[in-house]
Amino acid sequence: MQKMSRLFIPKLVIPKDSAPKHIEALSRSQRLMNELGLVKGAGNGFFHFMPIAQRSLDKLCNLVDECVLKTGSYKMTMPILTPTELWQQSGRLHGDIEEFFIVKDRHDKKYLLSPTHEEAITSILATTAPISYKQLPLRLYQLGPKFRDELKARFGLVRAKEFLMKDLYSFDRSDKEAEESYKIITSSYAELFKKLQLPFEKVEACTGIMGGKCSQEYQIVCPVGEDRLLRCKQCHYAFNVDLAEGDAKCCLKCHSSDLEELKGIEVAHTFLLGDRYTKPFNATYLDSDGKPKALVMGCYGLGVSRVLAASLEVLSSDNGLVWPSLLAPYDICVIGPKDGSNEQELGDVIEKEICQKITEIYGCNDVVHDDRKYLTIGKRLWEAKRMGYPLIIVAGGKRAGDTPTLELLVKNHHHELHVDTVLTEIHKYKDHKTALRKRWH
Amino acid sequence: MQKMSRLFIPKLVIPKDSAPKHIEALSRSQRLMNELGLVKGAGNGFFHFMPIAQRSLDKLCNLVDECVLKTGSYKMTMPILTPTELWQQSGRLHGDIEEFFIVKDRHDKKYLLSPTHEEAITSILATTAPISYKQLPLRLYQLGPKFRDELKARFGLVRAKEFLMKDLYSFDRSDKEAEESYKIITSSYAELFKKLQLPFEKVEACTGIMGGKCSQEYQIVCPVGEDRLLRCKQCHYAFNVDLAEGDAKCCLKCHSSDLEELKGIEVAHTFLLGDRYTKPFNATYLDSDGKPKALVMGCYGLGVSRVLAASLEVLSSDNGLVWPSLLAPYDICVIGPKDGSNEQELGDVIEKEICQKITEIYGCNDVVHDDRKYLTIGKRLWEAKRMGYPLIIVAGGKRAGDTPTLELLVKNHHHELHVDTVLTEIHKYKDHKTALRKRWH
């Protein structure tokens, strides 16, 4: 059980008479994460993840790993610095490169702070011993920082210049087999968003600078989203408005004009790339006839830190955070009586008892004890509610007749309960979380 | 159980008549990791971690997390890009900055690809609401990529330009309390290296560019080490040769001249920094008398990817890798009969049986099935031995009288055993590993 007194939570202190600045760029998740000390700005578009947010981010990374490993993908890591020559070879250094950070080493050799790794992964395959068709499909992914020199960084982690991304690359023998990889991997993304209990849309999108045959985005539907989506009310097909031609917009699939417009935060973008990269890099496999053929490629980006922000954006209220169950930084927060209060004697006893029993049920993880007994219960409870812990338990030192009681808060509903009933609720929550975690279709 | 056929292992194919180049810069770990497809060069001083090495690296990161959490430290993440102003403020931008990678954004603002984060963490503390003495000690760490534009990158992961580091920072109320933090955290490093079964020395070192009051290095004793160490045969005190004055070297503690010289790979460096950074940044806490005082700081770097390389450097033979038990990419490798061989019928049956029973004991992790049945047993066994899996099981289809047998290789010793005996050995290995993992003193 961790101690709140030891946790570093650098809350933002806004002087009462200060005028808020940049108000137009502030989203709900950004404001709350800043005020509650989860992130701290480190320059325009850069953020420190403080300990509480780090816990949620680590949980999300583990979930992503689990999700992706089930698709038969293997984890690896490519350097952040990629020599610019590779981007010359793919032709992507000739386009709109203002968003790239480029750095020189002491010998004037240039590197990109990679925003994505198609060039790097393809060049690995092109420069190893020939891959046999027997080794295909090949699915490789990594999870690490990416960089983009955004003209307008905004909404905190939603659009940052340095962000955490999971990028996955599939290599297959044919278009048909590549489509099979695409289906398996994109399904796993849909599973992930369901597990996170988020409202999402899978939409047809532009391939843009990435190139390739077709692409789809996963969008978290949300008012501050920067993407405009159109969803057909007849056939439910959805697409990015960038794909619509002219003013008389109609469904790209059934041609109905009965469309609704939504706003979304793009959290994942997947592409069937064909030989867009494997051909210029000469990344081939040896087919069963002994001849080398170009690998058929797919790529699948998932903005991990952006998913965290989008979750909080769409689930939270103006007054406090609400987390996807599997991403809550702690599941349970325990608050005891204030030092020197009348209820302290009884409260201390019951606080100790409940802490011990929770540890037996929950282990040392996922429970935080707000042991700052120099603060009032009210102050600590207010903070805990704003932080959105799924279960908040107050050992205030009250009685119902002969037996002491605890206060249990679930989704901001207060319950006055005996210890045993609280423990039953904790068991229930644990089972609920386990079921949610296990449920991969 | 993972399938070897699906794993991407880009083995280095060296043409037989090619002259080896850069032979002087090749260390054992580098050569083996390259040849066996664990890492792949991505330019001078940059490396791709391929799936097998990634598994070991992930295991090491988890061990480091466990080790550090026990010191009461909390995890966080700071951006890789740090504004150069912060390094101006600490004075470190005026020194020898050739090893820094510096990048400009589209507005000509400069950032460092941080080689370490003293400036960033101190500035976080300096710009938050006042920290109370009640919140101290504060111990924060992160684990992520770091950058150094080395003049001579060499020995693979031992001295790379982009590498994985865990950096920890402690903040205390007084020198005395800072020394207590220092003691707790450095002890945990010693524990980590013991758990990894590595020969290490804790040595007195120069504070160098970092500054502060005193510093110590953790050195893995190893012939290719680039650091020269002196250890006193009388009092066992050890120190970096850089600290010795003049030619007549003697022990810095007991003044004996009975010294032995060792070579070491520096894997960790810890510093008591005092107010070296907190003063220029005005990072203070409110003491019990209500007055602000400068925080007393310590910092603790651990080269995670370097620990992996140093482990392999010191434990392996010329012919194959040997892993610390807790870092082996897989604990068990199972090899079945070759397709079309005489032994295949019996071999297939017993291979299936052993795979199933191992899964019951070991779960799906940490076991790899070399299912490339188009290769001979000999070829696959040779590869498995070079890769250094702790247990290798061959279901070759042999019999001892009426009952089929398996071949079990432990540390390159062959045993011909019945299934039940093999399963007993697997149980034993699992217990050994669990004990090793749990043993924190």
Side-chain angles (χ1 to χ4, degrees):
Chain A
M1 189 170 296
Q2 299 196 345
K3 303 284 175 202
M4 189 71 85
S5 58
R6 297 262 72 81
L7 257 166
F8 185 54
I9 309 173
K11 282 186 271 302
L12 193 67
V13 180
I14 305 165
K16 274 184 185 164
D17 52 354
S18 74
K21 60 173 182 176
H22 296 314
I23 195 73
E24 75 289 354
L26 269 186
S27 64
R28 186 183 276 171
S29 65
Q30 182 182 16
R31 182 177 58 77
L32 288 169
M33 289 183 90
N34 255 296
E35 287 179 9
L36 295 171
L38 301 195
V39 300
K40 194 168 151 57
N44 182 16
F46 295 94
F47 295 91
H48 301 291
F49 279 83
M50 302 314 299
I52 293 212
Q54 183 71 45
R55 288 184 62 87
S56 298
L57 193 66
D58 284 346
K59 288 182 182 191
L60 179 55
C61 289
N62 288 337
L63 265 186
V64 169
D65 275 339
E66 271 179 37
C67 153
V68 174
L69 287 172
K70 283 185 198 273
T71 66
S73 303
Y74 287 89
K75 195 173 185 175
M76 61 174 297
T77 306
M78 292 176 270
I80 286 166
L81 294 193
T82 307
T84 48
E85 292 105 75
L86 290 182
W87 288 66
Q88 219 126 30
Q89 206 170 333
S90 70
R92 285 210 280 183
L93 210 62
H94 308 305
D96 177 18
I97 63 165
E98 287 190 335
E99 286 197 353
F100 295 167
F101 284 105
I102 292 178
V103 65
K104 284 181 189 175
D105 71 7
R106 56 166 86 215
H107 306 297
D108 259 354
K109 188 174 159 64
K110 283 188 195 168
Y111 299 85
L112 238 85
L113 299 196
S114 296
T116 173
H117 278 84
E118 285 73 27
E119 282 81 357
I121 188 91
T122 313
S123 104
I124 292 178
L125 294 186
T127 58
T128 42
I131 290 153
S132 157
Y133 69 96
K134 291 176 197 159
Q135 290 174 265
L136 302 178
L138 202 58
R139 295 167 190 157
L140 295 163
Y141 80 100
Q142 63 177 1
L143 205 164
K146 295 280 186 289
F147 298 82
R148 209 174 286 172
D149 193 0
E150 296 277 1
L151 184 59
K152 281 196 182 177
R154 55 182 155 174
F155 303 139
L157 303 179
V158 172
R159 187 175 287 277
K161 293 186 181 177
E162 180 173 337
F163 55 101
L164 199 60
M165 184 166 132
K166 193 225 67 178
D167 44 334
L168 195 156
Y169 306 93
S170 66
F171 296 93
D172 277 278
R173 205 176 165 180
S174 64
D175 284 349
K176 201 175 153 230
E177 291 180 21
E179 279 160 28
E180 183 61 21
S181 283
Y182 192 83
K183 211 171 116 189
I184 290 170
I185 295 160
T186 53
S187 302
S188 80
Y189 281 18
E191 288 301 323
L192 178 72
F193 296 125
K194 276 184 208 156
K195 217 180 253 289
L196 293 176
Q197 306 163 296
L198 297 175
F200 70 97
E201 279 289 335
K202 186 178 173 183
V203 307
E204 204 65 32
C206 291
T207 54
I209 185 186
M210 194 69 80
K213 299 184 173 186
C214 76
S215 88
Q216 287 170 313
E217 294 166 344
Y218 284 82
Q219 297 269 0
I220 305 293
V221 179
C222 174
V224 308
E226 295 186 277
D227 283 284
R228 286 169 60 209
L229 322 173
L230 294 172
R231 185 169 56 190
C232 175
K233 288 187 178 172
Q234 299 303 319
C235 74
H236 305 293
Y237 182 79
F239 54 101
N240 195 306
V241 75
D242 294 345
L243 281 182
E245 283 168 30
D247 287 335
K249 295 182 174 60
C250 64
C251 174
L252 297 181
K253 202 169 178 183
C254 76
H255 306 291
S256 156
S257 58
D258 193 8
L259 303 176
E260 62 177 327
E261 190 170 320
L262 305 167
K263 283 188 170 181
I265 299 174
E266 179 199 326
V267 285
H269 202 158
T270 59
F271 298 82
L272 262 178
L273 295 168
D275 59 11
R276 161 73 184 86
Y277 296 89
T278 54
K279 218 162 184 180
F281 284 96
N282 197 26
T284 58
Y285 69 97
L286 287 186
D287 210 348
S288 51
D289 59 9
K291 289 187 183 147
K293 292 177 189 163
L295 286 157
V296 184
M297 186 171 174
C299 80
Y300 314 81
L302 177 79
V304 179
S305 45
R306 189 183 280 187
V307 167
L308 186 67
S311 304
L312 293 174
E313 196 66 47
V314 71
L315 299 177
S316 301
S317 75
D318 273 341
N319 300 321
L321 294 171
V322 176
W323 301 87
S325 301
L326 295 176
L327 301 188
Y330 296 99
D331 292 335
I332 306 174
C333 173
V334 181
I335 298 171
K338 183 174 194 259
D339 271 348
S341 63
N342 290 335
E343 296 79 13
Q344 191 181 2
E345 199 175 339
L346 176 61
D348 280 352
V349 174
I350 194 169
E351 179 186 19
K352 204 173 157 187
E353 184 187 349
I354 192 80
C355 282
Q356 191 204 316
K357 289 199 168 142
I358 291 177
T359 306
E360 283 164 22
I361 299 172
Y362 240 83
C364 288
N365 285 323
D366 291 335
V367 186
V368 66
H369 180 200
D370 194 342
D371 58 338
R372 297 172 301 167
K373 306 189 94 175
Y374 53 91
L375 297 176
T376 62
I377 286 182
K379 164 87 176 145
R380 285 177 286 162
L381 183 56
W382 184 76
E383 279 191 20
K385 282 159 83 172
R386 293 247 298 163
M387 201 64 100
Y389 304 115
L391 304 180
I392 303 170
I393 296 165
V394 181
K398 286 193 191 160
R399 282 178 188 281
D402 285 345
T403 44
T405 60
L406 293 165
E407 197 178 348
L408 175 71
L409 272 90
V410 188
K411 292 182 184 170
N412 283 336
H413 291 291
H414 291 245
H415 309 271
E416 191 78 29
L417 303 169
H418 293 302
V419 176
D420 290 343
T421 320
V422 170
L423 293 175
T424 307
E425 291 302 317
I426 291 174
H427 272 293
K428 264 193 216 165
Y429 191 80
K430 194 182 172 191
D431 292 345
H432 156 72
K433 216 182 110 183
T434 309
L436 195 59
R437 196 170 177 91
K438 276 199 185 151
R439 199 199 309 147
W440 294 107
H441 299 275
Chain B
M1 189 171 297
Q2 298 196 345
K3 303 284 175 203
M4 189 72 85
S5 58
R6 297 263 72 82
L7 256 165
F8 185 54
I9 310 173
K11 282 187 271 299
L12 192 66
V13 181
I14 306 166
K16 273 183 186 164
D17 51 356
S18 74
K21 61 173 182 176
H22 296 314
I23 194 74
E24 76 289 354
L26 268 186
S27 65
R28 186 182 277 170
S29 65
Q30 182 181 16
R31 181 176 58 77
L32 288 169
M33 288 183 90
N34 256 295
E35 286 179 11
L36 296 172
L38 300 196
V39 299
K40 194 165 154 58
N44 182 16
F46 295 94
F47 296 92
H48 300 291
F49 280 83
M50 302 313 300
I52 293 210
Q54 182 72 44
R55 288 184 63 86
S56 297
L57 194 66
D58 283 346
K59 288 182 181 192
L60 180 54
C61 290
N62 287 336
L63 266 185
V64 169
D65 275 339
E66 272 179 36
C67 155
V68 174
L69 288 174
K70 283 186 197 273
T71 66
S73 304
Y74 288 87
K75 196 173 186 176
M76 61 174 296
T77 306
M78 291 175 270
I80 287 166
L81 294 192
T82 307
T84 50
E85 291 105 75
L86 290 182
W87 288 66
Q88 219 127 30
Q89 205 170 335
S90 70
R92 285 212 278 184
L93 209 63
H94 308 305
D96 177 16
I97 63 163
E98 286 191 335
E99 286 197 355
F100 295 167
F101 284 105
I102 293 178
V103 66
K104 285 182 190 172
D105 72 7
R106 57 165 86 214
H107 306 298
D108 259 355
K109 187 174 160 64
K110 283 189 196 168
Y111 299 86
L112 241 83
L113 299 195
S114 297
T116 173
H117 278 85
E118 283 74 26
E119 281 80 356
I121 188 92
T122 312
S123 104
I124 291 177
L125 294 186
T127 57
T128 41
I131 290 154
S132 157
Y133 69 95
K134 293 177 196 159
Q135 290 175 266
L136 303 178
L138 201 58
R139 295 168 189 156
L140 296 164
Y141 81 100
Q142 63 176 1
L143 205 164
K146 294 279 185 290
F147 298 82
R148 208 175 285 172
D149 193 1
E150 297 276 1
L151 184 58
K152 281 195 184 178
R154 54 181 156 176
F155 303 139
L157 303 180
V158 172
R159 188 176 284 278
K161 294 186 182 176
E162 180 174 335
F163 55 101
L164 200 60
M165 185 165 132
K166 191 223 71 177
D167 45 335
L168 195 156
Y169 306 93
S170 66
F171 296 92
D172 277 278
R173 202 174 167 183
S174 65
D175 283 348
K176 200 175 154 231
E177 290 180 22
E179 278 160 31
E180 183 61 23
S181 282
Y182 193 81
K183 211 171 117 190
I184 289 170
I185 295 160
T186 54
S187 303
S188 81
Y189 282 17
E191 288 300 323
L192 178 73
F193 296 124
K194 277 185 207 155
K195 215 179 255 285
L196 292 176
Q197 305 163 300
L198 297 175
F200 70 96
E201 282 286 340
K202 185 178 173 182
V203 307
E204 204 63 35
C206 291
T207 54
I209 185 187
M210 195 70 81
K213 299 186 171 182
C214 77
S215 87
Q216 288 171 312
E217 294 167 344
Y218 284 82
Q219 296 270 0
I220 304 293
V221 179
C222 174
V224 308
E226 295 186 278
D227 283 285
R228 286 168 61 210
L229 322 173
L230 294 171
R231 183 169 56 189
C232 175
K233 287 186 179 173
Q234 299 302 320
C235 73
H236 306 293
Y237 182 76
F239 54 102
N240 195 305
V241 75
D242 294 344
L243 282 182
E245 284 169 28
D247 287 334
K249 295 179 176 61
C250 65
C251 174
L252 297 182
K253 199 169 180 185
C254 75
H255 306 292
S256 157
S257 58
D258 192 9
L259 303 176
E260 62 176 327
E261 190 171 319
L262 304 167
K263 282 188 170 178
I265 299 173
E266 179 200 326
V267 286
H269 203 158
T270 58
F271 299 80
L272 261 178
L273 295 169
D275 58 11
R276 160 72 183 87
Y277 295 90
T278 52
K279 218 160 182 181
F281 283 97
N282 197 26
T284 58
Y285 69 96
L286 286 186
D287 208 347
S288 51
D289 59 8
K291 290 187 183 147
K293 292 176 187 163
L295 286 156
V296 184
M297 184 172 173
C299 80
Y300 314 80
L302 176 80
V304 179
S305 46
R306 190 183 279 186
V307 167
L308 186 68
S311 305
L312 294 174
E313 196 65 47
V314 71
L315 299 176
S316 302
S317 76
D318 274 341
N319 300 321
L321 295 171
V322 177
W323 300 86
S325 301
L326 295 177
L327 301 189
Y330 295 99
D331 293 334
I332 306 174
C333 173
V334 181
I335 299 171
K338 182 175 196 261
D339 271 349
S341 63
N342 290 334
E343 297 79 12
Q344 191 182 5
E345 200 175 338
L346 177 60
D348 280 352
V349 174
I350 193 168
E351 179 186 18
K352 202 172 158 189
E353 185 187 350
I354 193 78
C355 282
Q356 191 204 316
K357 290 199 167 142
I358 291 177
T359 306
E360 283 165 21
I361 299 171
Y362 240 81
C364 289
N365 285 323
D366 291 334
V367 186
V368 66
H369 181 202
D370 195 341
D371 58 338
R372 297 170 303 166
K373 304 190 96 176
Y374 54 91
L375 298 175
T376 64
I377 285 181
K379 165 86 176 146
R380 285 177 287 163
L381 183 55
W382 183 77
E383 279 190 18
K385 283 159 80 171
R386 295 247 296 161
M387 200 64 99
Y389 304 115
L391 304 179
I392 303 170
I393 295 164
V394 181
K398 285 192 192 160
R399 280 177 189 283
D402 285 346
T403 44
T405 62
L406 293 166
E407 198 177 347
L408 175 71
L409 273 90
V410 187
K411 293 183 182 169
N412 282 336
H413 292 289
H414 290 245
H415 308 272
E416 191 77 31
L417 302 169
H418 293 302
V419 174
D420 289 344
T421 322
V422 170
L423 293 176
T424 308
E425 292 301 318
I426 291 174
H427 272 294
K428 266 193 214 164
Y429 191 81
K430 194 182 172 190
D431 292 345
H432 156 74
K433 217 181 109 183
T434 308
L436 195 59
R437 194 167 178 94
K438 277 199 185 153
R439 200 199 309 147
W440 295 107
H441 300 276

